[in-house]
Amino acid sequence: MPEHRVTDRILLGHGSGGKLYRDLVKDIFVTAFANPVLERLDDAAALAPTGRIAFTTDAHVVQPLKFPGGDIGRLSVAGTVNDLATAAARPLALAAAFVIEEGFAVAELRAVCASMAATAREADVPIVTGDTKVVERGAADGLFITTTGVGEIVVAHDLGSAAVRDGDAVILSGGVGDHAVAILAARGEFDFRADVRSDCAPLWGLVEAAVEAARTQGGEEAVRFLRDPTRGGLTTVLAELTEESGLGIEVEEQAIPVSPAVRSVCDLLGYDPLTLANEGKMVLVTAAETADAVVAAVRATTYGRDARRIGFVTAAHPGRVALRTPFGTRRVLDMPIGELLPRIC
Amino acid sequence: MCLAVPMRITALDGFRATIAVEGLEQECSIMLVPGAGIGDYVLVHAGFAISVIDEAEAQETYDLIREIDAFDEGDDGAAGDDAERDGGADRAPDDGSAGGDDCR
Amino acid sequence: MTAADDLACLAAELREEAGPGLTFMEVCGTHTMAIARYGLRQLLPEGVRLVSGPGCPVCVTAMADLDRVLALARLPEVTLVTFGDLIRVPASRGTLAEERAAGADVRVVYSPSDAVRIAAAEPKRQVVFAGIGFETTAPTTAAALLEARAAGLTNFSMLSLHKTMPLPLRALLDLGETPVSGFLLPGHVSVITGTACYEFLAREYGIAGVVAGFEARDVLEALLMLVRQSEPEIAIQYTRAVRPEGNVVAQRLLEQVFEPSDADWRGLGVISGSGLALRAEFADADAARRFAVDPGPTLEPPGCRCGEVLRGVTDPADCALFGARCTPEDPVGACMVSSEGACAARYRYRGLDDA
């Protein structure tokens, strides 16, 4: 083992590229992420992808850094894996850039890295390169992480809103609202305790199973569209899809799973669970005849047990998402506007 | 106006009540309903209980609401069926509530 | 029977029993929301029309009052604490959200007690609570005020913009603009007030009123009760929460802390006695007296017809700005900002070619 000593707290010197920096990288990042490519400590990682690749990046600035069900580490890895998954891309490699506030506890950094490593292992993707900068106290909220990912696309056609057709099935991989409520509870601005954990999880396995089932049942182009309902929630994904595709969507309110605790918090603060952020869910649009097979395949995966078909794409009411209530009436779902605000009225 | 949620009092310390409903727990003041006790359902608005709710009547409404909210684990996931959802819906609600309507 | 069946049954009875040309007015923003959320208008028979009245406390707050709140927020020593409902409402020159982005210390709370906690935790700040809401909320701010007093806090004050319900109904009816067959009366306001204060509707105006709850079946049941009344009277559908005498403890608290004052209602003008002002003995906690602020000239947005919408005279869709210049993302008037404003609720129906 190389000899070096890392201090208790991150110092400005750790970002300066010299010995302190090298020690930090080896002791914390390389140790946690442990893979042959990273261990070379080259400035760039050489990869050998096959076929078309997907490429994505995401900055993560969550507060608090740790919350029930996860932390910024798990969030950053899962988030990028999931973005790649929306392109039907198997994650090939990740990069992670850290901006750390001077004074940040090294033990906390280790914990975040352990979390990233565990999530990366789960998703079977190595973190092969990265960067670290340290900024003065007060210039960052503890820790910001930017993850960038490269993946191998496993379908031959282009997924997206242009591929969606009248009659396609709209499938949701599970219950909504958990991540947002878990964060809200953890932030402590409104004093409540809820039986809710963030759903933060890497979903490539789920998407791979879905794509396979759709392909088997309905041919190469049966999978049309994949998107994860993060900020803005399910409503935003559906509204964007109708806007981009020029088609309409109808979903059934009762088919959308919402856990009782999430519902209670929403009732209390006046939130709509359909507009809340998720970090471990996927919206899938596939050819109608493949819906049952896709739902079954997703339900057989770890994070898709509550998957269900929630609606369909329609040529009626183009550009609009209609929600059918349990009473058979309908209302339009609009994208939420900006800040999530609790109300008393 | 206004948003108020029924919750059950699970603990009491003077006017400080711990209230809970379906996976959510918080505190409120029962200063406006000083006669409320542990086990009572109260309507909570902006951190204060404003009314004690008649439990029998409340139960009936909540059964209906929760049945609407519940998602059936046994469902094969196919929405758009014409058949009504099953989840416990055949239970007849309690009798004797207000309204005088005949829809039971 | 399932909930959907239950509602279908109520709707069927309504169709059977309701005559033509009935207009029912709801005067509670939460009812506006519930009706929109459950799509209840789609279940009503042809002859029954539901209109929204002045029931959204945010929507009925006068521009000058909003300007006063923003002016207070701009004071460097002030921490302006508010319910989330106010953050995006357009005042003459911007919103509280914009003031916050420009550096004002604006905080959102769920309970007025949280404002008191902030005052206790930050003794160097002048914590001002913006008290909006009707009789449901006013007792909670009164209680918070007493909490602050009991804790000996000198840095807590509130701006009371509270208004009370029954008087605007009288003002509305006296205007004689819309024939109202009956009122869906506010469920939670009535938890506090009880029903005696509405008796004048039946006695003096011959108009029925039913206090309704907020679930879909509550609203339909209340409409059925209205339709079935042979003699106009005030009744309670929401019996699980509302008693005829109301919440006497809360009423006493209101009397202890507040006194009736004139209040300026958007759309209805000044209605004397319809506001709640802090009594003289609480003058030290009255932000209106503690801080001298100049709210600046009041600018009503041109073309905005919120006032008429609030009186139930104009349907939101008939306002030229609706859906074009005025949308939930970029609202002109309060009726579009508040999720329970009539315009915001109405906006959700556009585009769907259904009943």
Side-chain angles (χ1 to χ4, degrees):
Chain A
M1 281 289 351
E3 285 171 21
H4 47 262
R5 184 184 73 89
V6 179
T7 58
D8 279 352
R9 297 201 166 268
I10 297 294
L11 311 171
L12 279 175
H14 282 119
S16 304
K19 185 168 189 312
L20 260 181
Y21 173 77
R22 206 80 173 155
D23 287 348
L24 182 80
V25 169
K26 285 188 198 159
D27 186 43
I28 295 185
F29 299 121
V30 175
T31 309
F33 304 150
N35 62 79
V37 180
L38 181 63
E39 274 146 28
R40 294 164 56 98
L41 285 180
D42 293 332
D43 279 346
L47 307 170
T50 51
R52 295 194 301 156
I53 63 166
F55 184 45
T56 184
T57 192
D58 236 331
H60 304 274
V61 297
V62 69
Q63 274 299 330
L65 297 178
K66 192 166 158 60
F67 42 85
D71 65 2
I72 188 174
R74 183 168 176 75
L75 199 62
S76 60
V77 171
T80 294
V81 167
N82 295 349
D83 281 344
L84 289 173
T86 66
R90 172 180 302 111
L92 180 63
L94 297 183
F98 299 84
V99 175
I100 315 175
E101 193 184 357
E102 178 190 14
F104 195 77
V106 168
E108 243 191 284
L109 185 61
R110 261 191 230 284
V112 169
C113 290
S115 194
M116 290 175 78
T119 310
R121 262 194 308 276
E122 191 189 335
D124 196 20
V125 61
I127 300 172
V128 297
T129 187
D131 184 52
T132 305
K133 292 288 183 296
V134 180
V135 293
E136 280 158 15
R137 205 177 270 283
D141 225 348
L143 177 66
F144 296 149
I145 305 179
T146 297
T147 40
T148 303
V150 144
E152 296 166 308
I153 301 176
V154 305
V155 297
H157 66 292
D158 287 327
L159 297 176
S161 40
V164 167
R165 313 215 219 307
D166 180 15
D168 283 347
V170 178
I171 297 167
L172 178 61
S173 68
V176 291
D178 296 66
H179 178 75
V181 171
I183 294 286
L184 199 63
R187 288 174 72 115
E189 281 160 20
F190 308 110
D191 200 9
F192 65 88
R193 277 129 0 246
D195 190 14
V196 179
R197 296 167 64 76
S198 166
D199 61 346
C200 181
L203 301 178
W204 170 242
L206 183 155
V207 168
E208 188 176 30
V211 168
E212 213 16 68
R215 205 205 304 261
T216 309
Q217 193 73 19
E220 273 308 313
E221 307 201 357
V223 135
R224 317 279 206 224
F225 172 95
L226 301 164
R227 202 164 284 174
D228 54 339
T230 53
R231 271 178 308 182
L234 174 66
T235 301
T236 297
V237 169
L238 298 178
E240 280 174 348
L241 178 52
T242 57
E243 209 174 87
E244 291 161 18
S245 67
L247 289 164
I249 288 179
E250 180 167 313
V251 291
E252 205 185 297
E253 188 164 15
Q254 267 183 301
I256 301 169
V258 179
S259 81
V262 168
R263 200 172 284 289
S264 297
V265 172
C266 288
D267 285 345
L268 185 75
L269 296 175
Y271 295 140
D272 177 358
L274 304 188
T275 63
L276 298 183
N278 308 276
E279 291 289 340
K281 296 294 177 312
M282 194 63 68
V283 174
L284 310 94
V285 179
T286 67
E289 68 273 17
T290 66
D292 289 347
V294 170
V295 170
V298 172
R299 282 190 165 211
T301 68
T302 317
Y303 300 115
R305 303 232 185 278
D306 292 335
R308 50 193 48 221
R309 185 169 66 190
I310 60 169
F312 55 92
V313 178
T314 171
H317 52 84
R320 296 262 175 275
V321 182
L323 181 84
R324 197 157 69 94
T325 71
F327 312 114
T329 60
R330 296 195 299 166
R331 70 170 196 268
V332 172
L333 283 189
D334 279 312
M335 273 195 260
I337 304 130
E339 203 184 344
L340 200 58
L341 292 166
R343 46 189 193 94
I344 51 134
C345 293
Chain B
M1 219 182 133
C2 338
L3 227 49
V5 179
M7 296 180 77
R8 177 170 240 158
I9 299 178
T10 57
L12 210 45
D13 177 15
F15 281 152
R16 207 84 209 117
T18 303
I19 44 177
V21 71
E22 297 256 49
L24 167 65
E25 190 186 75
Q26 58 162 184
E27 273 82 44
C28 78
S29 167
I30 60 159
M31 180 188 176
L32 302 175
V33 285
I38 296 182
D40 283 342
Y41 271 108
V42 287
L43 209 56
V44 182
H45 172 73
F48 286 81
I50 57 172
S51 173
V52 175
I53 306 178
D54 179 289
E55 183 161 352
E57 282 196 55
Q59 202 50 55
E60 182 204 324
T61 310
Y62 306 145
D63 286 347
L64 287 173
I65 297 166
R66 286 303 165 235
E67 172 245 304
I68 292 171
D69 294 343
F71 53 101
D72 188 350
E73 282 303 291
D75 199 289
D76 65 1
D81 287 350
D82 287 334
E84 294 291 339
R85 314 205 110 244
D86 270 329
D90 295 325
R91 179 189 345 113
D94 280 348
D95 221 23
S97 87
D101 68 80
D102 304 311
C103 282
R104 291 287 170 220
Chain C
M1 146 176 325
T2 66
D5 287 343
D6 176 54
L7 212 76
C9 187
L10 288 170
E13 291 192 16
L14 206 51
R15 260 194 308 278
E16 227 173 291
E17 300 181 41
L22 292 171
T23 300
F24 296 120
M25 178 179 272
E26 48 85 0
V27 289
C28 170
T30 312
H31 274 143
T32 318
M33 256 297 256
I35 289 163
R37 177 180 169 187
Y38 302 124
L40 291 183
R41 277 193 178 82
Q42 292 157 46
L43 296 175
L44 298 181
E46 276 283 316
V48 174
R49 200 166 73 103
L50 266 184
V51 301
S52 258
C56 160
V58 169
C59 306
V60 299
T61 301
M63 196 61 104
D65 287 331
L66 288 171
D67 291 338
R68 199 161 293 122
V69 173
L70 265 74
L72 282 166
R74 279 194 287 270
L75 295 176
E77 70 271 27
V78 165
T79 294
L80 194 288
V81 184
T82 175
F83 294 122
D85 313 62
L86 266 189
I87 292 283
R88 294 183 59 242
V89 183
S92 295
R93 284 159 291 278
T95 67
L96 273 177
E98 286 159 23
E99 290 296 340
R100 186 176 52 194
D105 186 4
V106 177
R107 318 232 192 132
V108 172
V109 294
Y110 157 70
S111 167
S113 298
D114 296 332
V116 177
R117 274 189 272 278
I118 292 174
E122 300 183 42
K124 293 212 184 73
R125 303 291 299 162
Q126 280 292 327
V127 175
V128 176
F129 182 70
I132 52 155
F134 295 133
E135 292 95 324
T136 323
T137 315
T140 71
T141 61
L145 200 78
L146 295 180
E147 280 170 17
R149 246 204 186 177
L153 297 174
T154 52
N155 61 331
F156 178 84
S157 63
M158 64 175 272
L159 186 71
S160 175
L161 300 173
H162 289 302
K163 298 177 171 59
T164 54
M165 234 312 126
L167 286 171
L169 300 185
R170 189 186 278 280
L172 198 76
L173 291 171
D174 287 343
L175 280 174
E177 285 167 320
T178 329
V180 175
S181 322
F183 283 101
L184 272 179
L185 293 169
H188 293 144
V189 165
S190 305
V191 161
I192 305 295
T193 61
T195 51
C197 56
Y198 306 116
E199 289 294 337
F200 75 96
L201 292 170
R203 255 197 341 261
E204 294 177 42
Y205 294 87
I207 298 177
V210 172
V211 177
F214 301 95
E215 300 302 327
R217 74 179 318 275
D218 288 328
V219 175
L220 284 198
E221 216 170 49
L223 287 174
L224 206 49
M225 285 170 72
L226 279 170
V227 159
R228 283 176 176 166
Q229 283 185 18
S230 42
E231 287 299 314
E233 57 170 20
I234 306 303
I236 302 175
Q237 177 277 335
Y238 196 19
T239 49
R240 62 187 184 277
V242 177
R243 276 146 219 118
E245 68 275 14
N247 181 327
V248 177
V249 171
Q251 288 165 20
R252 279 203 218 107
L253 188 61
L254 287 179
E255 274 164 53
Q256 182 192 352
V257 174
F258 296 109
E259 61 190 6
S261 70
D262 291 348
D264 191 356
W265 292 65
R266 190 192 292 252
L268 289 169
V270 174
I271 302 179
S272 110
S274 70
L276 291 174
L278 287 172
R279 286 188 182 275
E281 52 267 42
F282 295 97
D284 57 327
D286 189 342
R289 283 185 249 225
R290 187 182 289 200
F291 303 98
V293 283
D294 174 18
T298 311
L299 293 170
E300 292 291 346
C304 175
R305 296 174 76 178
C306 272
E308 289 168 44
V309 169
L310 287 165
R311 297 201 300 276
V313 170
T314 299
D315 184 80
D318 292 335
C319 170
L321 304 179
F322 179 80
R325 170 74 187 82
C326 186
T327 61
E329 298 89 60
D330 194 9
V332 173
C335 298
M336 188 60 93
V337 173
S338 174
S339 50
E340 46 170 54
C343 298
R346 186 75 172 73
Y347 189 74
R348 285 161 220 263
Y349 277 106
R350 91 229 173 279
L352 270 191
D353 41 6
D354 52 15

